[in-house]
Amino acid sequence: MLTLHVLGHVHVSRGPQSLPLSSKAAALLTYLALEGRPHHREHLAGLLWDTSDALRNLRVELARLKGRGIDPFPARQPMLSLGCATDLDSWLAIPQPTQERDLLGWLAPLRGPALSGLEDLGSSAFRGWVDQQRQAIHDRVEERLQLTYSRLEEQGLSASAELVRARADLMGLALSARPASAPPAALTFRWPAQEEQLRQVLARAGRSPQLVLLQGHSETRRALLERMVQNTSWSAVQLRASTRQPLLLAALAQHLWQFVPVDQRAQTHLPHGQNPETDLIELGQVMVALGRPLMIALHDVAYPGQWPDWLEPMLSFLLDLPLPLVLVLSTTWPALASGLRPALSQLVGPRLHTVTLPPLSVHDLMRSLEAQGSAGLAGTQRARATRVVQCSEGLPVYVRALLGEKDTPLQHDARVPRQVSDWLLADLAGVSILERERLARLAQVYGRFDVVLASTLLGECAPATLGVGLQAGLLAPAGTAEDLTLPHLDYRSSDAENHLIFASDVVRSALAATLPATERHALRATLAAVLVSSQPALGLVYATRAALPELVQTARRALPPRSAACDRRASAAPATPAEEPPGRAHPRHEVRTPNGYRVGLDSCFLEVMRRGPPGSPPLLTLRLPGHGTGRWTLTARVDVADSAPQHAAFPVPFVLGVRAGTGPRVIYTVGPVLDQPADSDHQHFGGVVPLGQWFSLSGQGGSGPLELSVRAGDIALTVGALRWGEHSLHDLCLNTFLGTPVHGSGD
């Protein structure tokens, strides 16, 4: 039995014996074996020789093969085909090693780049085919190596992991430290509303092809789509978007080939890689001939302005095919999804569907923990889930990493775990390495910055880098204060705002950590010197972290003078212990402000969370409609609050502020706010509230509407019940949201 070896240098063996072949004979056998279908002699001759005597050369090679005992081709038949086992098939059939002792044997067949020795043979069409096949083979090998490498790293077997990485390097493959799947496998997250939306899309696709724009982090999108086709007649093909059409079509062809029945493969024609338009037409014919519903996902698509010229025509062609088809274009970043919608809507109109996988909420995580059997006491479970969701910004891969720790910290560590950082940075594949390095320098800035400060760190390239960050959704315009109107959570940023901020502090931290420690130290020193006069509180943070005692003293002298204590004129009762209020079922609704506040209404509970950088935090104001009599009561809890001393912070950070009508804002903190100035004559200190417990507050203010506010770097506030005059939070949510569309996770 013949075996074709394509992993490394191409050769043919019979049992343990390698058979000597000419390079053209090896190319011929490889082409026929990997194509898996008959080809005409004239096509093969032109492909491999591209000369006037090509047919004669083909006959000579066939005669030489016959002389060496390789004669699988019938005489005088115009079509040639070869059914031959390959070492790739054998290697893919071997289970991944579970013991270190099996690792070397499993890696042994990987001897270098696939199809070595065929690079400079034959016509340009054959060389293009070799490139496509090599890429397809490498993709399959890399996927298995990545799985094994990640598992060995997670198990702490670094020496074995390095053996896998070294073998990948030998083949020219690049492995990342990001886990191929996010552990633990037993903990799964669901998005019921979004899954139902996708089921409706699949039903519509039975009448005509549909297009889906899917936004969510990479480790969630693929799992969701796989789950949608399980136990159905649909088949899913998931690919990473490529700017090179031949490679994309070749990868798609390889995926479709697995759906072709074995007895039909001889009659099925896959593209040859000679002409992209012809290849696309042939792929369409294969898809129609398969007669099965297909979901094809292209992940991590680029911004429309960066699309290659062929992408829209390819999408238009596929969406006109007469078969049940759902095309999915996916991206990680919400801002990028917003930019994609207009272009895609013009392409397909009402056949476009937008599906957004929101960050995990506290309710989502509690539900998943209960399904896993990790339920505990209600208060303890909520506290743990809240801390995890606040620290992780609801990113599933980060949630899993935190749940894997023995103890969930009360406050987040600014250092993002390596496995999480690798996932996030991999999602930035569309950003060039140079721009990523510049963004990493910019990520040393805590909070808002303008083009002047960016230029201090980046020089003349600052405007271009800011444009890249905005287009990729990494940066967003942000003001010093933000207002939301409940219960719709309406928010609009000012077009005149000229300051930017990183849209995610987790991503900012991951980017910042990619710079060498010496460069981070130098940038902190630069920022300390620049900000010590204009923003002394922030300059003090940088000077302290850069260990610059002279600048520390300069910053302290520049701080505003302290008052003896915050004004305590507020007419408010101190916090008293309370029971958890009952929830009321209604769909979750959430928004995220540019400054990183996550504000959500879930089961008639109001949640406010933020993971923020060091420095003076922005003010968030939540305005409620209706006019009360000035009397208000609420039941709430705070599970996360700023842990760092805020003696230099101005204005005063607080976990909750309440203002009724024209009365003063009454602020509450989790520790005494002494020796600090109040915001103004209209802000008074109301008292201290407990951490990690339900409490009740009440107070009296002027007649009119009610507003709640928060000013915190790290915060997890839950308001379970609220009443002002004749109005309540429960009634407001139920009257507004019954029958409205779902924008987040729900039951």
Side-chain angles (χ1 to χ4, degrees):
M1 177 180 177
L2 294 178
T3 300
L4 175 67
H5 297 264
V6 296
L7 299 174
H9 199 279
V10 174
H11 63 283
V12 173
S13 66
R14 180 182 285 117
Q17 181 181 6
S18 179
L19 303 177
L21 296 177
S22 69
S23 59
K24 287 297 178 73
L28 173 64
L29 297 178
T30 301
Y31 185 81
L32 290 173
L34 295 185
E35 283 286 284
R37 56 193 175 95
H39 284 280
H40 199 280
R41 290 174 182 247
E42 289 186 359
H43 167 73
L44 296 169
L47 195 67
L48 294 175
W49 280 274
D50 198 19
T51 61
S52 57
D53 58 349
L55 273 174
R56 185 182 68 82
N57 290 331
L58 176 62
R59 287 194 293 270
V60 170
E61 285 300 333
L62 292 176
R64 290 175 178 171
L65 286 171
K66 186 175 182 179
R68 294 186 174 94
I70 304 175
D71 189 21
F73 310 117
R76 293 182 295 279
Q77 288 292 325
M79 305 294 288
L80 299 183
S81 63
L82 177 64
C84 180
T86 69
D87 59 342
L88 173 64
D89 296 327
S90 301
W91 186 74
L92 291 174
I94 301 174
Q96 287 183 289
T98 57
Q99 303 292 330
E100 285 187 273
R101 62 176 180 268
D102 301 327
L103 184 61
L104 288 177
W106 184 71
L107 294 173
L110 308 179
R111 300 183 180 91
L115 304 181
S116 295
L118 304 186
E119 294 84 358
D120 301 320
L121 298 177
S123 63
S124 60
F126 178 74
R127 294 192 294 272
W129 177 87
V130 170
D131 289 340
Q132 294 174 15
Q133 290 291 327
R134 178 181 289 123
Q135 183 64 50
I137 293 171
H138 282 184
D139 285 347
R140 301 177 75 181
V141 172
E142 186 178 54
E143 182 179 4
R144 297 197 89 202
L145 291 179
Q146 181 67 70
L147 283 167
T148 302
Y149 176 75
S150 299
R151 177 172 51 79
L152 292 170
E153 272 206 328
E154 291 164 10
Q155 294 173 348
L157 304 175
S158 56
S160 297
E162 283 307 310
L163 288 176
V164 178
R165 182 187 285 278
R167 195 56 58 103
D169 291 342
L170 182 65
M171 297 189 70
L173 306 178
L175 302 184
S176 70
R178 59 185 276 181
S181 60
L187 185 65
T188 59
F189 304 120
R190 304 296 294 264
W191 286 266
Q194 287 71 19
E195 292 180 19
E196 176 58 29
Q197 188 178 356
L198 285 172
R199 278 190 285 270
Q200 294 176 8
V201 172
L202 294 177
R204 292 186 182 183
R207 298 186 293 271
S208 63
Q210 306 288 309
L211 179 63
V212 173
L213 173 58
L214 176 62
Q215 185 268 313
H217 278 273
S218 58
E219 82 280 7
T220 60
R221 289 177 266 143
R222 289 179 177 267
L224 173 71
L225 296 180
E226 286 293 340
R227 193 160 60 241
M228 294 310 302
V229 301
Q230 286 178 357
N231 303 318
T232 72
S233 61
W234 288 80
S235 301
V237 173
Q238 303 200 52
L239 308 168
R240 189 177 182 87
S242 172
T243 57
R244 298 178 61 185
Q245 188 179 19
L247 292 182
L248 183 63
L249 294 178
L252 179 56
Q254 294 299 319
H255 281 278
L256 293 176
W257 185 248
Q258 64 181 320
F259 300 135
V260 179
V262 176
D263 59 350
Q264 297 179 20
R265 292 186 174 183
Q267 296 80 37
T268 303
H269 299 283
L270 289 181
H272 298 146
Q274 296 178 334
N275 181 283
E277 290 189 0
T278 303
D279 292 347
L280 182 59
I281 293 171
E282 291 184 349
L283 272 180
Q285 293 171 344
V286 172
M287 292 165 62
V288 173
L290 283 174
R292 68 163 63 200
L294 288 172
M295 175 188 286
I296 299 176
L298 302 181
H299 293 294
D300 302 316
V301 294
Y303 193 78
Q306 299 173 341
W307 282 359
D309 295 338
W310 51 265
L311 182 59
E312 283 196 31
M314 185 187 80
L315 295 176
S316 297
F317 172 81
L318 293 175
L319 289 167
D320 283 338
L321 292 175
L323 79 157
L325 174 67
V326 173
L327 286 182
V328 180
L329 301 184
S330 82
T331 179
T332 296
W333 309 108
L336 190 56
S338 298
L340 287 167
R341 285 190 198 101
L344 296 177
S345 182
Q346 291 180 7
L347 189 65
V348 294
R351 291 190 290 161
L352 173 65
H353 310 271
T354 302
V355 179
T356 300
L357 303 183
L360 294 173
S361 68
V362 174
H363 180 72
D364 292 332
L365 182 53
M366 291 179 66
R367 181 174 52 196
S368 296
L369 290 172
E370 289 170 2
Q372 188 195 38
S374 302
L377 295 175
T380 303
Q381 191 78 312
R382 174 176 286 277
R384 182 190 186 204
T386 302
R387 293 198 299 268
V388 167
V389 171
Q390 180 273 337
C391 179
S392 65
E393 294 185 347
L395 304 180
V397 66
Y398 202 169
V399 167
R400 289 190 174 99
L402 290 173
L403 291 175
E405 297 178 3
K406 182 178 180 181
D407 297 307
T408 304
L410 290 176
Q411 288 85 22
H412 81 262
D413 185 339
R415 295 167 297 182
V416 178
R418 179 183 173 187
Q419 68 269 32
V420 177
S421 178
D422 288 336
W423 270 105
L424 296 173
L425 296 177
D427 284 333
L428 301 181
V431 179
S432 70
I433 295 177
L434 178 60
E435 290 295 354
R436 199 180 305 185
E437 290 175 353
R438 292 170 178 169
L439 287 166
R441 292 174 61 84
L442 202 58
Q444 310 304 318
V445 179
Y446 302 140
R448 300 163 64 246
F449 53 86
D450 57 12
V451 68
V452 176
L453 184 58
S455 298
T456 301
L457 303 182
L458 305 180
E460 296 179 353
C461 64
T465 299
L466 297 183
V468 170
L470 282 166
Q471 190 179 76
L474 298 173
L475 304 177
T480 56
E482 297 171 323
D483 286 10
L484 291 178
T485 301
L486 292 172
H488 295 290
L489 304 180
D490 296 326
Y491 171 79
R492 179 174 295 178
S493 59
S494 171
D495 292 337
E497 180 56 59
N498 60 358
H499 282 74
L500 301 175
I501 194 171
F502 275 86
S504 163
D505 191 63
V506 173
V507 175
R508 183 199 64 79
S509 298
L511 273 170
T514 61
L515 293 183
T518 53
E519 188 171 356
R520 295 199 301 270
H521 178 83
L523 289 170
R524 291 186 191 121
T526 298
L527 289 165
V530 170
L531 299 173
V532 69
S533 299
S534 59
Q535 300 182 53
L538 189 55
L540 177 59
V541 173
Y542 286 117
T544 302
R545 295 196 171 196
L548 301 172
E550 292 184 3
L551 281 180
V552 168
Q553 294 303 318
T554 302
R556 290 190 185 281
R557 288 192 295 268
L559 291 172
R562 299 177 181 179
S563 62
C566 281
D567 195 334
R568 296 178 179 272
R569 292 176 296 175
S571 174
T576 59
E579 296 294 325
E580 178 174 347
R584 307 279 184 87
H586 81 78
R588 178 175 176 81
H589 178 43
E590 175 185 317
V591 298
R592 182 187 178 98
T593 72
N595 276 312
Y597 284 106
R598 287 182 65 189
V599 184
L601 288 166
D602 198 340
S603 302
C604 291
F605 281 20
L606 171 64
E607 299 172 351
V608 180
M609 295 188 187
R610 182 175 188 255
R611 168 185 166 134
S616 180
L619 175 67
L620 172 71
T621 302
L622 308 173
R623 305 185 187 278
L624 292 96
H627 289 258
T629 60
R631 184 71 182 174
W632 55 267
T633 60
L634 64 78
T635 302
R637 63 181 291 142
V638 177
D639 288 292
V640 178
D642 290 318
S643 59
Q646 296 291 335
H647 302 302
F650 179 77
V652 181
F654 55 87
V655 297
L656 175 62
V658 186
R659 173 178 284 162
T662 57
R665 176 188 296 130
V666 184
I667 65 169
Y668 298 87
T669 63
V670 293
V673 187
L674 299 175
D675 300 324
Q676 297 196 34
D679 219 353
S680 70
D681 290 339
H682 300 292
Q683 175 170 302
H684 302 155
F685 180 64
V688 174
V689 296
L691 188 65
Q693 301 175 31
W694 287 101
F695 58 85
S696 290
L697 293 171
S698 62
Q700 184 73 36
S703 177
L706 188 77
E707 70 175 39
L708 305 180
S709 52
V710 173
R711 190 198 300 275
D714 293 331
I715 182 67
L717 166 70
T718 305
V719 178
L722 173 62
R723 178 169 292 279
W724 64 108
E726 299 300 320
H727 307 278
S728 74
L729 180 63
H730 283 181
D731 294 342
L732 183 67
C733 293
L734 292 175
N735 293 338
T736 303
F737 282 100
L738 286 177
T740 60
V742 175
H743 298 278
S745 301
D747 291 321

